[in-house]
Amino acid sequence: MPGTVAEDLEIIDAGRGGGTGTPAGGDDDGGSSGPLRPVPRRAYFTALQLGLAAIVMFFMALASSYIVRRGLGLDWQRTPLPPVLWFNTVVLLASSVTIIVARRKLEGGEREAFRSWWWVTTGLGLLFLAGQIIAWRELAASGMLLATNPSSSFFYVLTAAHGLHLAGGIFSLFYVTLRNWKRSRISQSTAAELTSIYWHFMDGLWIFLFVLLTLGR
Amino acid sequence: MVTHENGGGHGHHQAPTGFIRKYVFSIDHKVIGIQYLCLALFSVFVGMALSALMRLHLGWPNAHWSIFKGGLMTPEQYLALMTMHGTIMVFMVLTTAPQSGFGNYFLPIQIGAADMAFPVLNMLSFWTTMVSLLVMIAAFFVAGGAPIGGWTSYPPLSALGEMAGPGQGAGETLWIIGLAIFCGASLMGALNFITTLIDLRAKGMTLGRLPLTCWTWFVTAILGLLAFGVLLAACILLLLDRVAGTSFFIPGGLVITDQVITWHKGGSPLLWQHLFWFFGHPEVYIAILPGMGVASHLLSTFSRKPVFGYRAMVGAICGIGFLGFCVWGHHMFISGMSPYSAFAFSILTMTIGVPSAIKTFNWLGTLWGGKITFNCAMLFALGFVSLFVSGGLSGLFLAQPALDLYLHDGYFVVAHFHLIMGVAAIFGMFAGLYFWFPKMFGRFLNEGIGKLHFWLTFIGVYAIFMPMHFLGLAGHPRRYFDTTAVEFLQKLQPVHVFISIAAFITIGAQLIFLFNFFYSLYAGKECKEENPWHATTLEWSIPTPPPFDNFAGVEPVVYHGPYEFSVPGAADDYIPQHLAPNLVKKA
Amino acid sequence: MLRRRSEVGSTTVALSLAVFLVLMTVVTVYIFMAKVWWFPPAITEFGHEIDDQFGRTLLITGIVFVLAQFGLAYAVFKFRDQGQKATYFEGNNTMEIVWTLATVVLFVGLGLYARNAWAQVHFQGAAEGALPIEITAQQFVWNFRYAGPDGKFGREKPELVSASTGNPVGLDSTDPASKDDIVAPVIAVPVNREIELIIRSQDVTHSFYVRELRLKQDAVPGMEIHMHFNAAVPGNYEIACAELCGLGHYRMHSMLQVMAQEDFDKWVKDQEAANQ
């Protein structure tokens, strides 16, 4: 409601944002008014978190379908989980450790050590994927194909979906080491940090899926 | 030189010069916004042409047309038109134009950013959408034609392939693939929108100073981010059922034309419905929320008053977004779902009427005591409010499972969702287009032709969709090729004739719009001013049309809320958001 | 001079818009009140409950509809640009709270009120001694099966389904219980008798829908869904499919015949004779 002129002019000065002369910032890491700033570093982290949220929804949809479909399960047959999955799990967990070590080395300025540990991580990632393919072959050899049973259908779908996402992580691992970062807006260490968050997430996702498949098969 | 290699940094130092980089594979959010709008414009005319054919048939099912030998269309052709009309309208028009089109163009400008956070990703998401559209349209041209399963594509009809009906073969496969691609495109877009809004706001652009358009684009993007992943998962499972012989959605023991299907067993058709509607209900709000934002924005601007209850409006937008994820079951009251959960879904759905009512009251509150100018943009915004009320209230019937026992899957539903998520959302787009056209293209849309367009459309859509409620009350099921096989439907044929005539007039009015669009683009009244509407938000602080990096390299600072109209003590009846307090002229 | 013209223009447009909104509202309300196109009379008890609930919902939404459209019409006309200055206010918290609470009470209350009719259809099972009838939907036919004198449905096998040779539901003749089963293309029921429907589908999803029963239920393949009703008025009522099931969806039609008990007994005899 309109009040006195003085009061209203105060509204004009302050806007909605607060009482001081300098407006509260939409951004908090920039300087004062000046040239347009580049995309701030944290935008990459925001985007990554949002991407992970979307991935969570995707896997939740598959996982809840799994649980629902199993609940209907007059035709549900037990799918034997190939033992190689245990080995793969250990490999993936190890890769999460090596990526942590790699990042420590990068922060400590030991570039050579970083590169070695990073390659080790990449290698372990590839090993995991190879292991998953072996698991598929074993399962297929035992007669459990994609369409054999809902249990095996879900096994293939979930592992394939995870494998594809993990392959994206491996691409990103290669990208961090092979790209020329001098001409980039973000530093190599930022890229390495983003990749490692994604990598840990893929690791955690695999543990979740492995537990789900073990309990649900 | 375009700074492609910098992985999404701003390329604001230099604008691209080559045609391809500038207009085709552009990373400028404004060009991408226009590309999205063009895609939607193309799609909306395709979708409308399909509905014209359907209405021609529904109005005069027994007529013999000399140009169409053996009748206008077969039942399967009718269902194919219906399926593709729904799909194209929902995904390629209602999802792309208000959000990806206008949002892309104006979200960065309204928050004071030079571009989206990830311009290359932005370009990718447009071209992925384009691929998805092409794949879907291709369904018309394969053997068997386009799918006949409706835009909801319920299995087993959609999962059994050609044996379930023509169009359920290659056409349906293409449809599912197209939809899956669309999910990917929308996820990229949503991620970009949210990041941009969170991290690229100019100094002073607090959340409380965001224009309501930005709030709706923001919440819509969140809905998209959380919903499209689920649809993607559902599409993958459906595709596997079709091509790999799995049984996610197909139960055992099915028999079609005496042939037993032995290779599927145990699947659940309801599982698809749950997954689809978990996406599908938020999708409804993805279509309508940006329209609400534009309506709020324009009602305030053209009644020269602040938005009534800004905080309540923001709360309502967020409330609608949140509740949108809790109500999918109301599409499944008679599907065989547990009646107890149906009842729970029903109560949750009724509560979604509350934020919707808040918005309506606040729109009226915004107009109250104002000084209303009636240009085309405002007329469409006012039309939006009227249609939102008319379309929204029928939702209160459909939210009750007991009433749904009669109304479900009938014309009452068709009337409801066309008014609210179809027509109201399109009115939001028209409002936005008449409002922003001068900023985008440097010329005004012709007001005289525009008014004709408005009146024909506004009267037309009521004449089309109000009578559909009565068809629903009389018990007319939807997706019926004609009324010949059911006796009680035959009495309703005159209503179909009336609706068809109204539809043709309304469609004719859209041709007037199309003429206005192209006429004004090249010969409309020029707009050289920065701020022809005396509006407050940042897009009106920059030259018309906007330069490549929007703010000519200088970051704007925001000092005021988005709707400071008619502030007592100020000389002008509007205070732009970027105007420093000491520059505000006092009365 | 220019100013004047724009004000006159604004009055014309405002008036047209207001008049259209009022007209549209009045015509819509009239058609609803005059029941120009309306439900057929209900023949079940819960059908009447549903009609009552529809009436309550129509009353509430009707009032909101009229108030909102008239309010909009009034606002656009009253506050059209006549050269006045707009009043500055940013909202009113008391009013926000009042209408939020009012709509919560109104809408949620309405939802809770609807529980009764829904409960009668779904929360309660069929009454004791109900006559079971199995409905099997297929593209694009309805099949109705009665258990016959033994009260037992015989076994069905998908591989025996053969619509062309007169066994549309795949009845297994080796099962003694199936000997006296009756399969008919229409459904006949005795008046005032509780009927239990067992709804199934052979191929895709269909929906069993009879307007006068106020009943609609999807027939989902892989599921057996139980419904029940008690029809109070003899007559012939149309059954239409209400879930898209393929190209013949629009002609998937049958009849519900509600008849006196003695007529029903005769009908059953005729069917048995035809089935021999």
Side-chain angles (χ1 to χ4, degrees):
Chain A
M1 288 289 141
T4 64
V5 172
E7 258 174 42
D8 292 317
L9 281 178
E10 202 181 356
I11 295 172
I12 298 168
D13 287 341
R16 284 176 200 280
T20 57
T22 28
D27 270 341
D28 54 15
D29 65 347
S32 58
S33 170
L36 281 162
R37 285 160 290 140
V39 177
R41 184 173 174 271
R42 70 168 187 284
Y44 293 87
F45 291 88
T46 311
L48 179 64
Q49 284 160 17
L50 294 170
L52 295 183
I55 291 173
V56 165
M57 290 306 289
F58 174 78
F59 278 95
M60 280 305 127
L62 289 179
S64 49
S65 305
Y66 180 80
I67 293 162
V68 168
R69 182 67 181 78
R70 185 173 179 273
L72 299 168
L74 291 170
D75 58 333
W76 192 272
Q77 287 168 19
R78 192 180 166 87
T79 296
L81 292 184
V84 68
L85 290 177
W86 289 99
F87 172 76
N88 295 347
T89 306
V90 172
V91 167
L92 198 57
L93 283 172
S95 75
S96 259
V97 175
T98 56
I99 203 170
I100 292 172
V101 176
R103 282 203 46 235
R104 289 231 173 105
K105 299 291 177 198
L106 184 65
E107 277 159 28
E110 302 170 61
R111 299 201 63 85
E112 278 312 304
F114 158 71
R115 289 181 73 87
S116 322
W117 282 105
W118 199 258
W119 279 116
V120 169
T121 309
T122 316
L124 288 172
L126 289 168
L127 189 61
F128 173 84
L129 279 190
Q132 295 292 82
I133 290 167
I134 290 169
W136 282 9
R137 293 178 64 104
E138 276 180 24
L139 206 57
S142 72
M144 298 297 276
L145 301 170
L146 176 60
T148 307
N149 190 264
S151 165
S152 64
S153 304
F154 271 108
F155 178 83
Y156 285 106
V157 169
L158 288 169
T159 48
H162 175 262
L164 276 176
H165 283 86
L166 193 96
I170 291 176
F171 173 80
S172 165
L173 286 169
F174 275 115
Y175 189 77
V176 168
T177 33
L178 297 181
R179 166 176 187 163
N180 175 9
W181 290 98
K182 284 199 184 101
R183 294 184 56 202
S184 168
R185 292 268 166 188
I186 56 169
S187 66
Q188 188 181 23
S189 91
T190 304
E193 191 179 346
L194 292 164
T195 306
S196 80
I197 293 172
Y198 184 78
W199 195 256
H200 291 314
F201 183 81
M202 281 302 125
D203 196 348
L205 182 63
W206 170 249
I207 302 294
F208 166 74
L209 294 177
F210 194 40
V211 170
L212 186 74
L213 288 168
T214 310
L215 294 180
R217 73 199 145 115
Chain B
M1 183 207 84
V2 178
T3 49
H4 264 292
E5 16 338 65
N6 65 17
H10 281 318
H12 65 260
H13 297 298
Q14 281 151 317
T17 46
F19 177 80
I20 300 244
R21 289 258 164 116
K22 204 167 167 186
Y23 297 112
V24 183
F25 295 108
S26 172
I27 59 166
D28 179 357
H29 71 102
K30 296 186 289 296
V31 177
I32 295 171
I34 292 171
Q35 286 175 323
Y36 265 117
L37 287 176
C38 291
L39 180 141
L41 193 66
F42 168 77
S43 305
V44 81
F45 275 88
V46 172
M48 209 166 61
L50 302 182
S51 64
L53 284 170
M54 284 192 284
R55 281 318 321 176
L56 194 60
H57 169 74
L58 286 173
W60 300 273
N62 301 316
H64 291 285
W65 310 88
S66 52
I67 39 169
F68 304 106
K69 287 201 181 94
L72 183 58
M73 61 182 77
T74 59
E76 59 270 29
Q77 283 167 337
Y78 173 79
L79 292 177
L81 292 177
M82 174 212 80
T83 302
M84 295 306 279
H85 166 79
T87 312
I88 289 177
M89 287 300 201
V90 169
F91 293 104
M92 297 301 163
V93 180
L94 297 173
T95 311
T96 52
Q99 175 77 1
S100 312
F102 289 118
N104 238 315
Y105 199 110
F106 288 105
L107 176 93
I109 308 186
Q110 285 194 336
I111 64 171
D115 204 323
M116 283 287 192
F118 307 106
V120 177
L121 188 72
N122 203 12
M123 175 188 77
L124 262 177
S125 80
F126 169 74
W127 285 104
T128 314
T129 309
M130 189 63 140
V131 170
S132 148
L133 175 65
L134 294 177
V135 171
M136 276 191 190
I137 299 245
F140 276 115
F141 304 103
V142 294
I148 62 168
W151 85 283
T152 50
S153 207
Y154 280 8
L157 183 60
S158 62
L160 289 173
E162 263 161 81
M163 62 195 314
Q168 296 307 89
E172 176 75 30
T173 305
L174 283 175
W175 185 92
I176 298 170
I177 293 172
L179 199 54
I181 297 172
F182 188 84
C183 292
S186 299
L187 286 173
M188 288 189 262
L191 189 143
N192 216 346
F193 268 70
I194 303 172
T195 310
T196 305
L197 189 122
I198 290 178
D199 287 329
L200 262 61
R201 279 173 289 130
K203 242 178 115 54
M205 185 53 89
T206 56
L207 289 179
R209 286 175 180 161
L210 276 182
L212 286 173
T213 42
C214 292
W215 270 108
T216 53
W217 288 322
F218 180 47
V219 173
T220 302
I222 294 174
L223 293 182
L225 187 83
L226 300 179
F228 274 105
V230 175
L231 181 63
L232 182 60
C235 284
I236 290 171
L237 297 184
L238 185 56
L239 199 61
L240 287 174
D241 270 6
R242 293 174 58 84
V243 301
T246 55
S247 305
F248 297 110
F249 305 126
I250 309 175
L254 298 188
V255 187
I256 292 193
T257 45
D258 294 356
Q259 189 194 346
V260 188
I261 293 167
T262 49
W263 55 96
H264 288 295
K265 56 181 177 182
S268 161
L270 288 197
L271 178 57
W272 164 268
Q273 296 186 24
H274 279 291
L275 291 171
F276 182 84
W277 288 116
F278 184 86
F279 148 81
H281 202 78
E283 167 62 31
V284 173
Y285 297 109
I286 289 174
I288 191 74
L289 273 173
M292 295 182 178
V294 169
S296 313
H297 198 74
L298 298 201
L299 291 184
S300 168
T301 304
F302 293 116
S303 55
R304 315 308 294 165
K305 272 189 70 227
V307 163
F308 188 93
Y310 176 89
R311 276 164 190 277
M313 287 297 237
V314 172
I317 292 166
C318 299
I320 289 172
F322 173 74
L323 285 172
F325 279 108
C326 311
V327 299
W328 79 91
H330 71 225
H331 297 268
M332 300 171 59
F333 286 154
I334 62 152
S335 68
M337 181 179 70
S338 148
Y340 298 96
S341 50
F343 187 68
F345 275 123
S346 153
I347 298 303
L348 281 165
T349 307
M350 295 302 267
T351 56
I352 220 166
V354 175
S356 311
I358 292 174
K359 298 211 69 110
T360 308
F361 287 130
N362 284 356
W363 284 325
L364 291 180
T366 305
L367 293 172
W368 218 261
K371 176 189 173 196
I372 305 173
T373 322
F374 296 93
N375 50 38
C376 292
M378 182 62 164
L379 284 173
F380 275 104
L382 291 166
F384 174 92
V385 175
S386 170
L387 290 163
F388 181 78
V389 170
S390 306
L393 284 171
S394 49
L396 289 174
F397 294 84
L398 298 169
Q400 300 176 40
L403 302 184
D404 213 40
L405 281 168
Y406 187 84
L407 299 170
H408 182 91
D409 246 324
Y411 265 85
F412 195 86
V413 181
V414 177
H416 165 69
F417 73 75
H418 272 96
L419 273 183
I420 192 118
M421 85 176 272
V423 177
I426 284 185
F427 267 54
M429 289 179 224
F430 277 134
L433 192 67
Y434 280 94
F435 181 62
W436 280 314
F437 195 87
K439 179 56 70 180
M440 295 164 83
F441 301 110
R443 287 175 193 274
F444 290 95
L445 278 167
N446 185 291
E447 278 284 314
I449 309 177
K451 290 229 164 75
L452 181 67
H453 170 224
F454 167 77
W455 282 110
L456 287 174
T457 310
F458 193 44
I459 297 170
V461 293
Y462 268 121
I464 296 169
F465 295 110
M466 267 304 172
M468 283 195 190
H469 290 98
F470 305 118
L471 290 180
L473 292 187
H476 197 326
R478 66 194 275 213
R479 295 167 166 176
Y480 264 37
F481 171 65
D482 65 31
T483 53
T484 50
V486 182
E487 203 191 315
F488 71 80
L489 293 182
Q490 286 160 19
K491 286 173 235 145
L492 301 172
Q493 192 55 34
V495 185
H496 272 305
V497 174
F498 179 85
I499 293 173
S500 289
I501 293 170
F504 293 133
I505 294 171
T506 315
I507 289 170
Q510 306 323 300
L511 299 177
I512 297 175
F513 161 76
L514 199 63
F515 168 75
N516 192 3
F517 184 87
F518 286 107
Y519 166 79
S520 303
L521 200 57
Y522 296 105
K525 194 177 102 190
E526 267 194 85
C527 171
K528 294 211 169 110
E529 295 169 74
E530 283 174 4
N531 191 358
W533 308 120
H534 294 182
T536 49
T537 41
L538 290 179
E539 75 268 33
W540 305 107
S541 72
I542 59 175
T544 300
F548 176 68
D549 66 351
N550 301 342
F551 296 95
V554 182
E555 193 202 355
V557 180
V558 173
Y559 298 94
H560 308 280
Y563 303 110
E564 294 291 329
F565 289 105
S566 304
V567 179
D572 294 325
D573 70 348
Y574 67 106
I575 301 170
Q577 285 193 279
H578 66 281
L579 202 63
N582 54 347
L583 296 179
V584 176
K585 274 185 265 164
K586 292 179 182 140
Chain C
M1 216 36 229
L2 229 131
R3 177 94 234 158
R4 283 288 316 143
R5 256 184 60 206
S6 82
E7 278 163 31
V8 172
S10 117
T11 303
T12 319
V13 179
L15 192 64
S16 321
L17 191 57
V19 167
F20 172 75
L21 287 173
V22 170
L23 265 180
M24 183 276 296
T25 310
V26 169
V27 170
T28 305
V29 170
Y30 169 77
I31 299 179
F32 269 104
M33 304 250 295
K35 305 192 176 177
V36 180
W37 292 279
W38 206 249
F39 324 129
I43 57 167
T44 53
E45 203 184 317
F46 61 77
H48 294 296
E49 291 248 2
I50 288 172
D51 289 358
D52 292 346
Q53 177 66 15
F54 188 90
R56 281 187 284 269
T57 312
L58 188 61
L59 182 71
I60 289 175
T61 50
I63 291 170
V64 178
F65 177 67
V66 171
L67 286 181
Q69 301 288 5
F70 279 18
L72 185 63
Y74 175 79
V76 293
F77 184 70
K78 169 87 189 189
F79 303 111
R80 69 189 187 277
D81 182 358
Q82 296 169 293
Q84 81 275 30
K85 192 163 169 28
T87 41
Y88 179 90
F89 54 89
E90 291 185 298
N92 183 322
N93 286 339
T94 322
M95 282 169 80
E96 297 281 1
I97 291 165
V98 167
W99 61 49
T100 304
L101 289 179
T103 45
V104 169
V105 170
L106 213 56
F107 293 171
V108 176
L110 200 56
L112 292 172
Y113 221 102
R115 184 187 177 279
N116 204 12
W118 182 246
Q120 279 192 39
V121 179
H122 270 293
F123 295 175
Q124 302 158 6
E128 198 85 1
L131 172 70
I133 302 172
E134 185 195 73
I135 303 179
T136 306
Q138 68 183 81
Q139 282 182 334
F140 304 97
V141 194
W142 296 101
N143 302 294
F144 302 96
R145 182 158 71 125
Y146 296 75
D150 67 349
K152 275 186 208 149
F153 287 112
R155 193 167 51 230
E156 290 170 334
K157 286 184 173 171
E159 54 273 22
L160 296 175
V161 170
S162 171
S164 45
T165 60
N167 191 4
V169 297
L171 216 51
D172 181 0
S173 54
T174 61
D175 179 8
S178 73
K179 288 267 191 283
D180 58 352
D181 286 7
I182 300 169
V183 179
V186 293
I187 176 171
V189 299
V191 71
N192 289 327
R193 168 92 190 264
E194 180 88 345
I195 309 294
E196 181 173 24
L197 299 175
I198 302 144
I199 304 176
R200 321 155 59 223
S201 168
Q202 254 175 27
D203 38 38
V204 302
T205 307
H206 304 268
S207 195
F208 177 78
Y209 169 45
V210 181
R211 296 187 304 160
E212 290 82 357
L213 294 179
R214 302 285 187 273
L215 200 62
K216 186 180 286 154
Q217 176 57 53
D218 280 3
V220 185
M223 288 174 82
E224 277 192 356
I225 298 165
H226 291 249
M227 299 289 283
H228 57 96
F229 69 88
N230 186 337
V233 185
N236 288 341
Y237 307 103
E238 294 190 277
I239 302 165
C241 181
E243 183 66 72
L244 178 60
C245 57
L247 63 92
H249 173 50
Y250 71 104
R251 55 181 159 84
M252 186 163 165
H253 177 258
S254 181
M255 295 302 282
L256 164 71
Q257 299 168 352
V258 181
M259 51 183 78
Q261 183 67 44
E262 53 271 26
D263 293 337
F264 177 71
D265 294 338
K266 188 173 171 302
W267 182 86
V268 171
K269 287 236 162 56
D270 292 349
Q271 295 295 321
E272 275 169 352
N275 264 22
Q276 293 308 312

